[in-house]
Amino acid sequence: PLWFPAVLFLLAVADPRLFRERLAPFAFVTGSESVQPVGESGKMLITEWQSPFQAAATDPSLPWLYVLAAGAGLASFAFVRRRRPVGRFLFFLGMAVLAATAVRHMPGLGLSAALVLLGNLAEREARQPAPEPKRKRKAKAAVSAPARWRYAAVCGLLAAVLLAAAIGLCVARPGFDGGQSSGFFALRPSIACPQAAAFILDHRLPGPIFNDYLIGAYLGARLSPKYRLFIDARVLDPAVVVRYTEMVGSPARFAEAERRYGFRTVVLGNFSKTVRSPLGQALAQDPRWRLVYLDPLAVIYVKDAPGVQPAVRLRLPGDGEGAVPFVQPAGLISPLAFLQRIFLRDFPANYLIEYLAVVGQLGHPDAVVELATEALKKTQEPLLYRQRCAAHLALQELPAAVEDCAAAYERRPDEPQVAALYATTLAGSGHRSEALSILDQGLRKNPDDQMLLRLRSRL
């Protein structure tokens, strides 16, 4: 019955202080501060904790989806005859409030809208008028038949959607395996690390484990109960998220937590910027921690496990089909892959660029050059030129670095990171005046960009 969750919701927010505390992670209209981890670029890493309206810059479709679900649920109350189901209305209103606080509650709002709509349609169909003569009853039955079919069609549609979602989740269980999934439904690369989890289990790495927030739920499903993880991606406690954020941004805070919890294994995802965070840089330079695993999805550091043989799985040209991760064959994209990009918002080039940045950060610029060269045969993504330029620069191959940065700048002149790298490369090859000119052009378009301002001051 719909009144039961309504009562649960009312009990959950009965105390205004509790209500404010629960909404603290969402930075909702209560005025509470946001405690979401922020990446190097200033982008919030935990997008599902943002309000759908705050997340509009990242995903413009979210506010429209919210309005569609809320509008459908509220409009369905027009179907109800005579009495008004107050409890049902309050329940749906509560779900709408929750969905307005965080993206993570949007599926709940969508399902609630569907169930409320079904409930209202069923109530309309169940209410029969007073007994009438047989002839009139036959005429009204003929008129009401389309309404019954509409109700049955809506029920069938909801059942089909839920069944398709269940099948999709089942098929998606293997997730991405270092590249695009062969099927339509797949886990996003940012939340799954199947090979890394298998490496932990196969080599019996020591625990406890400090883990990346985004892959916490996946690791929990794969490693529990053999291992204890630090954080789960579904955590709602603001204090835990604050502590996690501080540990990722400050090696000193991580050292304090390491002494307290005794971490011996660290698993970081490649797509949450944690590998290139202050914590990731500190682990790479700390002799007590060894990099024992690297693949296109995650990295693993381990302490006090000298018997573990490192496994660096870089996909290089010539390694067989799909040698470069996240790059699809050239040509027309299949309809299923097109739908996957729409619904999962998975764009292979974005994942590949971040992966190349991680590979370069971990000291493999030669692999970055090979991977980017192979990928550029299939796509002329400007940021691939930028990543290859940075790798050439690390290898002290200045002519090749200048050529790649020029290609990236020609295609993406408004990107501050491209302009900064191009200027750095030009200055390193002895063309300081050209480097200053590039920076001046970039500052005219982005006058407040601190990276460009610092670089120009240094030059």
Side-chain angles (χ1 to χ4, degrees), residues 435-447:
L436 289 172
S437 175
I438 294 294
L439 291 176
D440 289 338
Q441 294 179 35
L443 286 171
R444 280 196 291 270
K445 300 173 183 177
N446 303 280

Side-chain angles (χ1 to χ4, degrees), residues 5 7 91 153 206 208 215 234 238 262 270 274 286-288 321 391 393 401 431:
V7 171
F91 163 66
I215 58 178
R234 297 158 294 184
N270 291 345
T274 51
D286 192 333
R288 299 174 307 141
E321 187 69 23
L393 196 60
H431 300 84

Side-chain angles (χ1 to χ4, degrees), residues 89-100:
F89 177 77
L90 291 178
F91 163 66
F92 182 73
L93 190 62
M95 285 302 304
V97 171
L98 284 180

Side-chain angles (χ1 to χ4, degrees), residues 268-289:
L268 301 178
N270 291 345
F271 307 116
S272 61
K273 307 282 193 304
T274 51
V275 178
R276 297 191 287 135
S277 70
L279 171 60
Q281 297 176 21
L283 291 173
Q285 299 169 4
D286 192 333
R288 299 174 307 141
W289 291 91

Side-chain angles (χ1 to χ4, degrees), residues 123-321:
E123 183 170 304
R124 179 180 185 179
E125 297 300 326
R127 292 190 175 279
Q128 299 293 336
E132 296 179 349
K134 187 175 181 180
R135 184 179 302 174
K136 288 188 177 181
R137 284 203 303 271
K138 288 183 178 181
K140 288 202 170 185
V143 173
S144 62
R148 287 197 296 270
W149 279 110
R150 285 196 297 268
Y151 172 59
V154 173
C155 290
L157 178 62
L158 178 60
V161 170
L162 294 176
L163 182 60
I167 295 174
L169 290 173
C170 181
V171 174
R173 180 80 186 207
F176 281 81
D177 190 11
Q180 288 294 88
S181 169
S182 59
F184 165 52
F185 289 100
L187 295 176
R188 289 188 184 182
S190 59
I191 64 172
C193 52
Q195 294 182 351
F199 185 86
I200 294 174
L201 294 172
D202 294 342
H203 293 78
R204 300 179 181 179
L205 298 187
I209 295 176
F210 176 81
N211 62 286
D212 190 316
Y213 177 92
L214 290 182
I215 58 178
Y218 181 87
L219 288 176
R222 286 291 303 273
L223 304 181
S224 178
K226 295 182 179 180
Y227 288 92
R228 297 179 64 189
L229 302 173
F230 179 74
I231 194 168
D232 188 297
R234 297 158 294 184
V235 68
L236 292 177
D237 186 351
V240 177
V241 180
V242 169
R243 196 178 312 134
Y244 167 82
T245 308
E246 293 173 346
M247 292 165 64
V248 170
S250 170
R253 289 299 180 92
F254 177 79
E256 295 175 2
E258 181 187 345
R259 289 190 293 269
R260 176 180 178 183
Y261 299 109
F263 297 129
R264 298 178 64 192
T265 297
V266 174
V267 187
L268 301 178
N270 291 345
F271 307 116
S272 61
K273 307 282 193 304
T274 51
V275 178
R276 297 191 287 135
S277 70
L279 171 60
Q281 297 176 21
L283 291 173
Q285 299 169 4
D286 192 333
R288 299 174 307 141
W289 291 91
R290 290 192 306 138
L291 177 66
V292 298
Y293 185 83
L294 164 63
D295 75 0
L297 298 179
V299 302
I300 302 177
Y301 287 93
V302 68
K303 184 178 69 171
D304 302 331
V308 179
Q309 295 299 318
V312 178
R313 301 183 179 181
L314 298 174
R315 302 291 185 88
L316 299 175
D319 286 352
E321 187 69 23

Side-chain angles (χ1 to χ4, degrees), residues 317 324-325 327-328 352 356 369-381 384:
V324 180
V327 174
Q328 292 180 330
L352 176 59
L356 293 179
V369 172
E370 292 185 72
L371 289 166
T373 300
E374 190 69 16
L376 283 169
K377 295 177 181 178
K378 300 180 179 179
T379 175
Q380 296 296 305
E381 170 61 44
L384 287 176

